[in-house]
Amino acid sequence: MFTDQPAVEVSQPAYWREKFPAGVSDLDLPADRPRPAVRVYVAERCRRRVDFRLAEKLRPGLEVALLAGLQALLSRLSRETEVVVSVGKNGEWVPLRAALSGEMTFMQFVEQQRACLAEAVSQGAFPHSTLAMGRASLGGVCFSVGDETATAPECDLTLRALEQSSELTLEWEYNAALYDDSTMARWLEHLEILLAGAMADPAASVQALPLLSTGQKQKMLVEWNSTAADYPRDRCVHELIEEQVERTPGAVAAQFVDQTITYRELSERSNRLARYLVKHGVVAGSVVGIYLERSLDMLVGMLAILIAGAGYLPIDPEYPKERIEFIMQDARVPVLLTQSSLAATTGNTSARLVAVDGERDAIAAESAAPLSIHSKPNDVAYMIYTSGSTGKPKGVEVPHQALVNLLASMAKVPGIGSQDVLLAVTTLCFDISAMEIFLPLTVGARLVIARREVAGDPLLLKQRLLTSGATIMQATPVTWRILLEAGWDGAPLKKIFCGGEALPRELAEQLLKLGPEVWNMYGPTETTIWSSTGRVSSAAERVPIGPPIDNTQLYILDGRQQPVPIGVVGELCIAGDGVANGYHNRPELTSERFVANPFRPGERMYRTGDLARYLPDGTVDFLGRLDHQVKLRGYRIELGEIESVLAKHPAIKQSVVTVREFSSGNQRLVAYLVPANGSLPSRTELDAFAEAQLPEYMVPGAYVSLAELPLTANGKIDRKALPAPDRVLEVAPTALPQSELEEKIAGIWRTTLSLTQVGVEDRFFDLGGDSLQLISVKNEIEKAIAREITVVELFEYPTIRALASHLDKGPNLAALAAAQESGRKQSQSWARFKPVRQKA
């Protein structure tokens, strides 16, 4: 087809260097299993016969149409706007890059790729032997037409188009070490659907072409979200509690230390305080601040605010004064419910302060009869301020209906009854506290409010669990972990609710061994505490989130709000009755995150910014935050994946990985590690452990030992508080320099890599070095020793000791031979070479 195209007058090596200055890199496709440290290739095949009507439409320009369709599919599967496919022509292979950004139509894309392929073919095969560009791979995916045996070296996926008589068959030859046959079958179906959509509408945008059949979309959007359930839609939260008061007036509703309050007493005290608040300026629809230490007064205050027709706004007594002032001013709080010991710390505010202890007699003089204020289900029940991307907190307005739906769903699954005791340990400013406080009170159970000191001390918490007789407790993974470390044996709990952060598999296994049911909860503040909950099974490899709770839908979508295929990563969006009203006084941010639901006209959904994927059984696999996804040297990296691997090392108790800039343009992965027994292994051991389970580019370039990870007030890991690498000690290096030359080279490495110490047996690339920095090292060493050296020498002698021995001309031959072999392997590995790739 392309033999009549004019040759491009340019030397072949120069052409390929210009097209691929940093080599050809594999696509980050969603594999079924992690790529092993040592490449394993197990060839399997998967075929699909193309519908004959589609085949006839494709046949006139079959090769380029299939190539364009394949590139479009790979872009969607990998979420990359640039993809490289190696095309087989006449027994030779040429890599072809495609850019799929913007609104290019499929017809335009086909013509573009026709021209690109003709030009590439005119240059001949990709010249591995003459281009020292790192790994010899042609990219992770190859494509050919008609040749049943053609397989490019190091290709994990090869798509062949085979024509026989009037039939067209598409075939994957794939690496079964990475992919399942069912995945390959789905991808072939996606490709056929995409091509059919392109033939039906060649003017459609490439990125908008369909991938899913009607049946697949029905399963994802409807069947897996079939959560409709009845609940008291016309009720507000305080009305549900009042109904419980009528059923069990004399039962104990709540306990704090040695104080108890019955349901009747709770109702009467709340009604009196509600009347007092109304007298002092609280009107229906307003928001009242609650600035109290944990106590029964706090509980009465929350309920009183709701009875008065207002929403409550929790403010933590441990907040800095500046934050308290900002929240009060931003929310325009008319009344602040507080206590005498805190009144002087509220800062500059115009709000009327009501001190529940100082004004207790006046409050007690009010009538205990219910107020006649009737709140509506869409009125704000509470407003909670969360951190904002701009650096200023933002208030999330949650209506009664959303909270009532959550409480009704949670009462059924995981379930709570009047015989249960729930120990509440969460600060009021963390939204999950609303479920802790109100859920037991709507079913006649007993609420035990833990003191602030108890929640943060595992020994006190362990003791309070026993003395309270708690059957249910909800907490973050960090809290459960410290409880286990304190020797807690599971008693007396029957149900463990874990949420707020991803539940690590190994922690789930530890909790399951204790006996209670373990439930994994997921949900952002903007969709009312928990949007999904699932009982954890010891059989699962990963701890899933989901299924969705009642009247809630989970969608995993791409940037165009289209559902992504099974196994493909997308943004998790949540719809249903739990979606909050929006952000207080932030219309632009509200419209950005709370968007129209494309699948249910007239409804809204919330874009969480969380990454997830569907597994074949409909399970939702949570993968972390969009802002915890990084690109480093062109590679897309999920930091949570590295953290989960490091956490498996027996010497590591906790791990957090982030990207740090050590100097301008020098970014490296940094792992912050909490030792399990006081000290960490050597960097060499940590590298070896990580390399055994992760690609080289995901191995941290520095390790930092911390006594403990910094936490937010809500018990989550505070990534912003992680110390800068230059303020902490790194893991001890291998042997330190001994000779003058070793010290010179080590000094150059330290300066280039912005490290405080390096060892003479450390390897440059293991410490986070890249190809550009290697050139800088070469130049500095030449200055230091007043002679020229080559980059090849740096590869052949990858450690300081080996290089110094070589430069001194007195190496230990056995050690040098081993070092040279290590260097050769290193120079052959483009991933370890860590090139600075083109921006994707």
Side-chain angles (χ1 to χ4, degrees):
M1 180 183 291
F2 299 100
T3 55
D4 59 344
Q5 296 289 336
V8 179
E9 294 298 329
V10 62
S11 67
Q12 290 182 353
Y15 172 85
W16 291 114
R17 285 186 189 277
E18 180 182 349
K19 289 294 183 182
F20 300 98
V24 182
S25 301
D26 293 348
L27 274 173
D28 185 14
L29 293 168
D32 295 300
R33 284 167 292 283
R35 185 179 298 276
V38 178
R39 186 176 186 270
V40 176
Y41 187 84
V42 181
E44 294 287 352
R45 297 192 179 195
C46 177
R47 287 189 171 190
R48 180 183 180 88
R49 189 169 64 185
V50 177
D51 180 87
F52 75 93
R53 290 163 296 188
L54 175 59
E56 287 302 310
K57 293 178 181 178
L58 291 170
R59 193 159 277 115
L62 181 64
E63 183 174 37
V64 181
L66 286 177
L67 172 62
L70 173 62
Q71 291 167 321
L73 173 66
L74 296 174
S75 174
R76 300 279 283 279
L77 294 177
S78 66
R79 298 187 302 139
E80 294 281 3
T81 56
E82 282 196 359
V83 299
V84 176
V85 171
S86 293
V87 183
K89 297 290 293 180
N90 303 320
E92 297 179 336
W93 295 90
V94 292
L96 200 67
R97 175 180 283 119
L100 293 100
S101 58
E103 295 297 319
M104 184 185 305
T105 69
F106 187 76
M107 184 181 297
Q108 291 170 333
F109 183 50
V110 167
E111 292 306 313
Q112 179 195 81
Q113 293 309 105
R114 189 190 307 278
C116 291
L117 182 56
E119 179 183 284
V121 170
S122 71
Q123 298 302 310
F126 187 70
H128 305 292
S129 59
T130 59
L131 292 181
M133 291 162 51
R135 191 170 58 191
S137 173
L138 285 164
V141 183
C142 299
F143 168 72
S144 72
V145 174
D147 189 343
E148 295 192 41
T149 61
T151 301
E154 296 193 29
C155 257
D156 290 319
L157 288 170
T158 298
L159 179 70
R160 301 187 185 91
L162 307 173
E163 292 185 280
Q164 188 173 13
S165 300
S166 60
E167 291 185 351
L168 173 63
T169 299
L170 298 179
E171 177 189 81
W172 284 121
E173 180 177 315
Y174 64 94
N175 186 355
L178 299 177
Y179 301 103
D180 291 334
D181 187 73
S182 58
T183 298
M184 295 294 95
R186 282 197 308 271
W187 288 9
L188 286 177
E189 183 180 7
H190 297 328
L191 178 56
E192 183 170 345
I193 292 170
L194 184 149
L195 290 168
M199 293 300 99
D201 185 8
S205 167
V206 176
Q207 297 288 15
L209 291 172
L211 295 181
L212 302 175
S213 67
T214 301
Q216 290 168 335
K217 286 193 286 188
Q218 173 76 11
K219 178 181 288 187
M220 289 180 172
L221 301 178
V222 180
E223 292 179 22
W224 290 346
N225 282 310
S226 182
T227 59
D230 290 332
Y231 71 100
R233 296 174 181 270
D234 59 340
R235 298 285 202 281
C236 293
V237 176
H238 56 283
E239 294 171 341
L240 297 181
I241 297 174
E242 190 58 41
E243 291 172 2
Q244 184 60 44
V245 170
E246 295 176 2
R247 290 192 290 268
T248 57
V252 173
Q255 178 182 349
F256 177 74
V257 191
D258 57 354
Q259 305 170 7
T260 61
I261 187 171
T262 67
Y263 276 89
R264 179 188 290 113
E265 291 167 341
L266 176 61
S267 174
E268 291 174 349
R269 285 181 59 181
S270 300
N271 281 322
R272 288 191 174 100
L273 180 55
R275 290 179 177 275
Y276 192 79
L277 292 174
V278 170
K279 275 188 177 181
H280 290 85
V282 173
V283 297
S286 62
V287 175
V288 176
I290 183 164
Y291 185 54
L292 291 165
E293 292 289 356
R294 298 174 68 80
S295 60
L296 292 182
D297 281 339
M298 179 192 77
L299 173 61
V300 170
M302 294 169 67
L303 192 52
I305 292 169
L306 298 181
I307 293 171
Y312 71 87
L313 168 62
I315 302 174
D316 196 311
E318 292 193 349
Y319 278 170
K321 186 173 74 171
E322 292 78 8
R323 186 179 181 89
I324 294 173
E325 289 181 346
F326 173 83
I327 291 174
M328 293 285 288
Q329 292 170 6
D330 188 68
R332 298 177 183 175
V333 173
V335 175
L336 179 66
L337 197 61
T338 186
Q339 60 196 57
S340 299
S341 60
L342 296 175
T345 64
T346 58
N348 183 21
T349 177
S350 60
R352 162 69 160 89
L353 302 186
V354 174
V356 291
D357 52 350
E359 301 173 56
R360 196 176 299 278
D361 290 343
I363 295 169
E366 296 291 336
S367 170
L371 282 170
S372 59
I373 297 173
H374 298 289
S375 299
K376 299 183 290 297
N378 63 344
D379 286 345
V380 173
Y382 63 85
M383 182 161 72
I384 284 193
Y385 273 77
T386 65
S387 60
S389 58
T390 62
K392 292 185 177 180
K394 56 186 185 295
V396 182
E397 298 178 340
V398 177
H400 279 273
Q401 180 176 334
L403 183 53
V404 168
N405 178 67
L406 171 83
L407 298 175
S409 183
M410 292 291 109
K412 291 186 291 183
V413 179
I416 183 173
S418 58
Q419 75 284 357
D420 281 307
V421 177
L422 191 152
L423 180 61
V425 299
T426 311
T427 171
L428 207 59
C429 294
F430 195 3
D431 67 327
I432 69 175
S433 64
M435 194 192 85
E436 286 182 339
I437 297 294
F438 296 125
L439 180 60
L441 300 179
T442 60
V443 298
R446 178 158 56 96
L447 167 68
V448 178
I449 302 172
R451 293 181 294 118
R452 183 188 295 270
E453 296 79 8
V454 168
D457 186 319
L459 295 177
L460 293 176
L461 181 56
K462 174 184 170 184
Q463 181 182 25
R464 191 66 182 115
L465 277 167
L466 292 171
T467 59
S468 67
T471 58
I472 298 174
M473 192 177 87
Q474 167 185 259
T476 63
V478 170
T479 300
W480 292 116
R481 195 184 297 276
I482 63 174
L483 257 179
L484 291 171
E485 291 171 356
W488 177 62
D489 62 2
L493 292 182
K494 295 181 179 178
K495 293 179 181 178
I496 289 171
F497 296 169
C498 190
E501 284 187 334
L503 173 58
R505 175 76 255 167
E506 97 287 342
L507 176 58
E509 293 286 2
Q510 289 179 281
L511 294 172
L512 285 167
K513 291 176 182 177
L514 301 180
E517 297 176 9
V518 179
W519 291 81
N520 190 31
M521 321 291 232
Y522 164 81
T525 300
E526 290 84 349
T527 57
T528 313
I529 308 172
W530 305 131
S531 298
S532 68
T533 181
R535 186 171 177 179
V536 179
S537 166
S538 58
E541 289 185 14
R542 298 172 66 101
V543 181
I545 62 170
I549 68 168
D550 288 350
N551 306 297
T552 300
Q553 296 81 48
L554 304 181
Y555 304 125
I556 303 176
L557 309 178
D558 63 17
R560 293 173 173 267
Q561 295 187 357
Q562 302 175 109
V564 299
I566 289 171
V568 176
V569 178
E571 181 180 15
L572 182 58
C573 297
I574 302 175
D577 290 1
V579 177
N581 291 349
Y583 298 114
H584 180 70
N585 286 340
R586 301 286 196 280
E588 298 84 3
L589 187 56
T590 297
S591 61
E592 176 188 336
R593 307 302 297 184
F594 295 83
V595 299
N597 185 342
F599 315 112
R600 295 194 176 194
E603 299 184 14
R604 296 181 309 148
M605 69 179 185
Y606 174 69
R607 295 179 53 223
T608 68
D610 288 339
L611 295 170
R613 62 177 178 172
Y614 270 124
L615 301 181
D617 62 355
T619 300
V620 176
D621 189 13
F622 174 80
L623 298 171
R625 289 287 302 168
L626 278 168
D627 51 11
H628 289 166
Q629 180 194 93
V630 298
K631 270 200 170 182
L632 191 62
R633 301 181 180 92
Y635 291 99
R636 190 171 67 216
I637 298 171
E638 291 294 342
L639 300 177
E641 184 178 357
I642 306 173
E643 293 167 355
S644 64
V645 166
L646 293 175
K648 296 176 184 176
H649 195 291
I652 296 173
K653 184 166 67 174
Q654 287 176 279
S655 68
V656 172
V657 178
T658 187
V659 173
R660 291 285 191 176
E661 187 167 15
F662 283 63
S663 59
S664 179
N666 178 17
Q667 289 187 321
R668 294 209 302 273
L669 291 168
V670 177
Y672 294 86
L673 307 176
V674 177
N677 298 302
S679 62
L680 291 175
S682 68
R683 180 188 291 123
T684 302
E685 181 179 338
L686 289 171
D687 280 344
F689 183 81
E691 288 168 0
Q693 302 172 73
L694 295 169
E696 288 90 342
Y697 61 85
M698 293 179 70
V699 175
Y703 300 92
V704 173
S705 180
L706 295 178
E708 59 183 10
L709 297 177
L711 303 179
T712 67
N714 296 335
K716 294 184 179 181
I717 295 171
D718 188 356
R719 290 175 178 268
K720 294 181 179 178
L722 291 168
D726 60 355
R727 293 175 48 204
V728 298
L729 294 175
E730 297 174 63
V731 175
T734 57
L736 295 175
Q738 299 296 317
S739 69
E740 181 179 354
L741 181 55
E742 285 181 352
E743 179 53 41
K744 283 183 180 180
I745 299 172
I748 293 169
W749 281 29
R750 288 194 298 266
T751 300
T752 304
L753 299 174
S754 300
L755 296 176
T756 56
Q757 294 184 89
V758 296
V760 293
E761 298 296 345
D762 292 333
R763 292 177 297 180
F764 185 76
F765 299 111
D766 289 346
L767 299 179
D770 60 39
S771 55
L772 294 182
Q773 292 171 321
L774 190 67
I775 300 301
S776 175
V777 165
K778 170 185 173 296
N779 295 336
E780 292 301 316
I781 292 177
E782 286 177 342
K783 293 177 185 177
I785 65 175
R787 55 166 281 196
E788 292 185 355
I789 61 173
T790 66
V791 173
V792 172
E793 287 177 283
L794 297 181
F795 272 121
E796 289 185 344
Y797 307 97
T799 69
I800 292 173
R801 175 154 292 166
L803 180 61
S805 296
H806 166 68
L807 296 177
D808 271 341
K809 301 297 184 181
N812 175 290
L813 296 182
L816 183 55
Q820 287 177 317
E821 178 60 21
S822 173
R824 290 189 187 99
K825 290 180 179 178
Q826 188 167 358
S827 66
Q828 293 166 2
S829 171
W830 194 243
R832 182 173 297 285
F833 187 46
K834 297 182 179 179
V836 179
R837 296 172 55 199
Q838 291 181 327
K839 290 185 178 179

